[in-house]
Amino acid sequence: MPLRPPTKDDLRDLGESLFLELTDDELDCFVVAANRRADAYETVRSYNPEPRLGGSERRERTSGVRPPAAENPHNAWVSLCHVAGADDGVLTGMEVAIKDNVCVAGVELTCGSHVVEGYVPDVDATLVTRLLEAGADVVGKTNMDDFAMTRTGYSAFGPITHPRDDDYLAGGSSGGSAVVIATGEVDAAIGTDQGGSVRIPAALCGVVGLKPTYGLVPYTGCIGLDHAIDHPGPMGPDVETVARVLSAIAGSNERDLRSPTPVPVEPYHDRLDGDAADLSIGVLQEGFDQPEADEGVLECVRNGLARLEDNGATLEDVSEPMHRDAEDIHTVCTAEGLLDAMIGEGLGHGWKAWYNTSWIEFFGAARRVQADDFPAPLKLSLLVGAYANEAYHSRYYADGMNLVVELTERYDALLEEHDLLAMPTTLETAPEHDPERDQYDRLQEDLVVANTTPFNRTGHPAISVPVGEVDGLPVGLMLVGSRFDDATVLDAAETLESVSETVTSNSSLTDREPV
């Protein structure tokens, strides 16, 4: 719509919100000047650029349909659709599910929330275009935690239950993607990871989930929380599938001006050799030594590492005390990062990349009338972020971001001495589903304790691989590598997978010495 120039009263009110004491003479001057500047806004509007879909608009498509409950027993799907991939490619014949905060043109996107229910993107996310060009068929959108704000598996459309037992939850926020892999409904899935949202449900549901190096896979066309931590990542039943999908979706984004040089990519699936002989693994002690840890989980992870050692890997205990504080650093930074994204109508400002204008317009209108429908964790983070911004002028945010630089350097120092770092993905198995607990009850207690958030901040690649079970519930081991060395992370994960078998906490391996 055409820009309506601001009135004198508009400018007075806005000035007060910006701590400006404007005189009547100033306001009269600014009204005239603002009217002249309206021409600049009309210039921008006159271009009205059409969305570019990278060729995928020509694909055969069916719009999304919500499956009946009987066909969606774990509440893992938001909608089913079909977008046909190319006739040949590295992913030909593969059926892929897409987390419901990633745009698929013509298919509703909800972010697991009632606030944006009904939004239909007019573009494919860059990674969706790449999947289709590689031959994959997109077959549906998967359910997720409400606006990706929690780790357990609670969508506005109901809980996402565990694929093995409905008395437990799938984890989040990419819970639906993990479930449809675990149940064999798809060959692979896409999740997004802002604090563990790919790796946590992968660990809890017994599948493989990779958070790639920050910037390796374009986030364009995905809905995130904070540009500094948003990662899309592949999930699959095995490492080879995850590596094959990464090979298709990785690479520089021509619409992201932050990266003027190409990011290094490889045919990751061709690098898998299952040989642990030359691997040097630093076992991060702070990733194990936490009071909330389930001893059965730790035992499974230690046994998995012992199997790698038996097959030639070199293990060494390493320590980084700052790892214990990474969750607090992440919490402080995320509060104001999320606030900026909210003020920026769902995308924020200053991102040198393509902006999804249909999302900005829809979200901007929706949040002004449905903000009360945001989940409690999002409301809390916004309130705390706004308070810290107003009362302390973003000093804590700046301190936190500076600590991220230091934390990154400390992990890098460990990775100069070792190929990988290892630790449990989560320190507990899947949480129980208690229908009596509402979102405010759950707010008082994080039901999943994880080691994942530090590496969203630092950008290191990290993968979760199943290594056993405790009381019938899966356990994941996380391997972390140097930035843009995703190939080593995947190769080590494939090695672990090849030497692993289902191991329970009371297995014959329990008499091993702790790693």
Side-chain angles (χ1 to χ4, degrees):
M1 65 181 68
L3 180 77
R4 176 185 64 80
T7 67
K8 186 174 180 179
D9 287 341
D10 289 334
L11 294 181
R12 180 182 289 108
D13 292 342
L14 291 168
E16 289 177 359
S17 71
L18 296 169
F19 312 104
L20 300 174
E21 295 182 5
L22 300 174
T23 66
D24 282 343
D25 287 344
E26 285 179 306
L27 286 167
D28 288 338
C29 175
F30 291 149
V31 164
V32 174
N35 271 267
R36 289 199 301 269
R37 290 202 175 185
D39 290 343
Y41 287 83
E42 285 304 303
T43 298
V44 170
R45 180 174 175 269
S46 70
Y47 279 85
N48 191 27
E50 293 294 323
R52 294 180 293 164
L53 303 183
S56 60
E57 74 277 11
R58 295 186 294 273
R59 308 255 177 236
E60 173 193 338
R61 293 175 182 263
T62 61
S63 58
V65 177
R66 300 216 174 167
E71 298 176 15
N72 193 22
H74 301 290
N75 198 27
W77 293 104
V78 173
S79 60
L80 301 175
C81 64
H82 187 267
V83 186
D87 291 336
D88 56 74
V90 68
L91 304 183
T92 296
M94 188 176 287
E95 294 188 338
V96 179
I98 308 293
K99 185 178 179 180
D100 202 31
N101 63 345
V102 178
C103 288
V104 175
V107 181
E108 182 186 30
L109 179 149
T110 71
C111 291
S113 171
H114 291 308
V115 175
V116 294
E117 192 175 4
Y119 169 63
V120 179
D122 54 1
V123 296
D124 287 328
T126 300
L127 69 87
V128 171
T129 296
R130 291 179 178 177
L131 287 170
L132 296 169
E133 290 175 345
D137 292 345
V138 171
V139 297
K141 305 295 294 294
T142 54
N143 206 355
M144 56 180 283
D145 288 56
D146 198 335
F147 262 101
M149 285 302 299
T150 49
R151 301 170 171 178
T152 49
Y154 280 103
S155 164
F157 309 114
I160 306 166
T161 58
H162 200 275
R164 297 193 186 183
D165 190 336
D166 283 341
D167 289 335
Y168 294 87
L169 295 166
S173 63
S174 306
S177 292
V179 169
V180 297
I181 295 166
T183 56
E185 296 173 71
V186 296
D187 300 303
I190 295 296
T192 62
D193 197 314
Q194 290 89 17
S197 290
V198 163
R199 292 159 289 158
I200 290 170
L204 299 183
C205 293
V207 302
V208 178
L210 172 71
K211 182 200 76 63
T213 299
Y214 180 76
L216 180 62
V217 178
Y219 208 77
T220 309
C222 306
I223 309 303
L225 298 178
D226 179 344
H227 297 316
I229 56 173
D230 293 332
H231 299 67
M235 305 170 73
D238 52 59
V239 175
E240 195 276 338
T241 298
V242 167
R244 190 172 292 277
V245 173
L246 182 65
S247 298
I249 64 177
S252 298
N253 182 3
E254 72 280 3
R255 302 171 105 183
D256 185 342
L257 305 180
R258 297 172 303 171
S259 304
T261 56
V263 299
V265 297
E266 303 182 49
Y268 299 98
H269 57 293
D270 288 340
R271 280 281 311 272
L272 304 177
D273 63 18
D275 184 3
D278 296 326
L279 284 177
S280 170
I281 300 176
V283 182
L284 187 65
Q285 293 308 292
E286 287 79 9
F288 290 76
D289 300 336
Q290 299 189 38
E292 305 92 339
D294 180 321
E295 281 301 321
V297 169
L298 300 185
E299 182 180 296
C300 281
V301 172
R302 291 179 181 126
N303 288 338
L305 289 170
R307 291 194 295 278
L308 278 177
E309 188 174 38
D310 289 344
N311 282 268
T314 300
L315 305 184
E316 181 183 353
D317 288 348
V318 298
S319 176
E320 178 42 68
M322 199 174 180
H323 181 82
R324 297 185 188 276
D325 296 323
E327 179 81 20
D328 287 344
I329 295 167
H330 178 76
T331 296
V332 168
C333 295
T334 300
E336 290 190 62
L338 177 63
L339 178 67
D340 180 71
M342 186 67 61
I343 294 171
E345 312 305 353
L347 279 179
H349 299 103
W351 188 29
K352 291 186 177 182
W354 178 84
Y355 282 70
N356 184 346
T357 54
S358 70
W359 164 255
I360 290 172
E361 186 174 6
F362 191 99
F363 180 82
R367 80 175 179 94
R368 283 164 172 76
V369 296
Q370 286 185 259
D372 285 341
D373 289 332
F374 282 130
L378 189 149
K379 292 177 184 177
L380 175 63
S381 191
L382 284 178
L383 290 169
V384 172
Y387 174 74
N389 176 268
E390 178 69 20
Y392 298 98
H393 316 138
S394 290
R395 171 59 189 269
Y396 285 99
Y397 174 80
D399 284 341
M401 293 298 285
N402 289 342
L403 288 173
V404 169
V405 175
E406 181 176 347
L407 181 65
T408 304
E409 292 171 347
R410 293 192 182 199
Y411 290 132
D412 284 345
L414 293 176
L415 288 164
E416 286 179 5
E417 302 295 327
H418 302 281
D419 298 313
L420 300 159
L421 301 178
M423 66 207 78
T425 311
T426 67
L427 293 160
E428 303 162 305
T429 54
E432 292 186 21
H433 170 37
D434 182 356
E436 300 303 315
R437 289 171 61 86
D438 65 19
Q439 61 175 326
Y440 298 97
D441 294 327
R442 296 192 297 271
L443 189 63
Q444 307 308 315
E445 180 183 5
D446 190 341
L447 298 178
V448 177
V449 180
N451 280 312
T452 51
T453 53
F455 306 106
N456 289 87
R457 285 289 160 191
T458 64
H460 294 89
I463 194 168
S464 181
V465 185
V467 287
E469 298 177 358
V470 174
D471 297 329
L473 294 172
V475 172
L477 186 158
M478 186 167 67
L479 296 170
V480 179
S482 298
R483 283 166 290 172
F484 292 106
D485 192 15
D486 298 60
T488 296
V489 172
L490 286 160
D491 189 37
E494 201 269 344
T495 302
L496 175 62
E497 184 179 71
S498 69
V499 300
S500 292
E501 33 182 73
T502 300
V503 180
T504 62
S505 63
N506 60 354
S507 73
S508 59
L509 294 174
T510 58
D511 57 352
R512 287 186 182 272
E513 290 297 317
V515 173

